[in-house]
Amino acid sequence: MVGEIIVKEAMKTNLAIVTPDLSVLEAAKLMKKRKIGNVIVVEKKQPIGILTESDILKKVVAEGNNARDILVKDVMSTPLIVINPYVSLEEAMNTMLKCNIRRLPVCEKGELIGIITQKDISRLSPVLHEISREWYDIRVRDESHYKNRFFLESAKIVESFHPI
């Protein structure tokens, strides 16, 4: 559609990247320093997961664990759900809603190039923001849509994915 904003035009490209063997404390310090709510977890140059504030809160803090003793790989969200940079913001928001997530790493030709969040979309498209608010209470994930958004490498799922 003419005039429609695509993900590539709205995404952030200055990503915070960590390795899976980093402590959650160190990842959280990076998030605080960068004033962001997530880091992308990369192993052998391939994105394998995402660690969010919610992961830290629910899987570390609420469990009474010490962030210094927990590794990112043990609490990150995986498999990583990604989106193509050339789709519309509406499609990105739809994917977020159907998969019950707020952040989408952006991959082009198998390479991580950015991230787009609900907040980014809300700033650019108030109409999509209203749609997301209507869907907010609907927590049922569309499994077929979810499974089609896993990060793929050469048409196969990266073997290091371990669903939580």
Side-chain angles (χ1 to χ4, degrees):
M1 180 183 256
V2 176
E4 192 170 47
I5 300 172
I6 61 171
V7 167
K8 190 165 188 165
E9 296 170 323
M11 70 183 188
K12 292 181 181 97
T13 57
N14 188 12
L15 300 171
I17 306 289
V18 298
T19 61
D21 292 321
L22 189 68
S23 75
V24 171
L25 177 64
E26 290 303 313
K29 285 180 178 181
L30 176 61
M31 290 163 64
K32 178 182 176 186
K33 180 180 177 183
R34 300 273 304 271
K35 298 178 182 176
I36 55 175
N38 66 276
V39 290
I40 304 293
V41 185
V42 174
E43 186 171 56
K44 296 178 185 169
K45 297 185 180 183
Q46 290 297 315
I48 60 168
I50 186 169
L51 180 70
T52 67
E53 294 167 317
S54 180
D55 293 325
I56 295 169
L57 181 64
K58 293 175 183 175
K59 299 172 187 174
V60 180
V61 177
E63 297 294 323
N65 294 318
N66 186 334
R68 182 176 285 117
D69 301 329
I70 304 293
L71 300 179
V72 167
K73 68 182 174 186
D74 296 327
V75 294
M76 70 183 181
S77 293
T78 187
L80 189 61
I81 299 168
V82 301
I83 197 149
N84 181 301
Y86 299 102
V87 301
S88 68
L89 291 186
E90 182 177 3
E91 185 173 335
M93 180 61 79
N94 193 34
T95 295
M96 289 179 198
L97 294 170
K98 287 183 176 187
C99 297
N100 196 25
I101 57 175
R102 295 184 332 202
R103 299 166 176 91
L104 270 174
V106 182
C107 288
E108 184 174 19
K109 297 177 184 170
E111 183 180 333
L112 180 67
I113 62 167
I115 191 164
I116 189 151
T117 67
Q118 278 185 343
K119 198 175 188 179
D120 298 330
I121 293 171
S122 294
R123 268 190 236 120
L124 294 170
S125 180
V127 172
L128 290 178
H129 178 68
E130 286 305 312
I131 292 169
S132 73
R133 290 183 69 190
E134 290 176 18
W135 277 78
Y136 183 75
D137 291 329
I138 301 173
R139 298 284 183 190
V140 179
R141 182 169 70 193
D142 180 331
E143 290 299 323
S144 63
H145 190 84
Y146 178 80
K147 288 177 182 175
N148 287 329
R149 296 298 175 187
F150 291 170
F151 179 76
L152 300 178
E153 177 185 4
S154 301
K156 69 175 185 168
I157 296 176
V158 177
E159 293 183 11
S160 59
F161 289 153
H162 300 287
I164 296 176

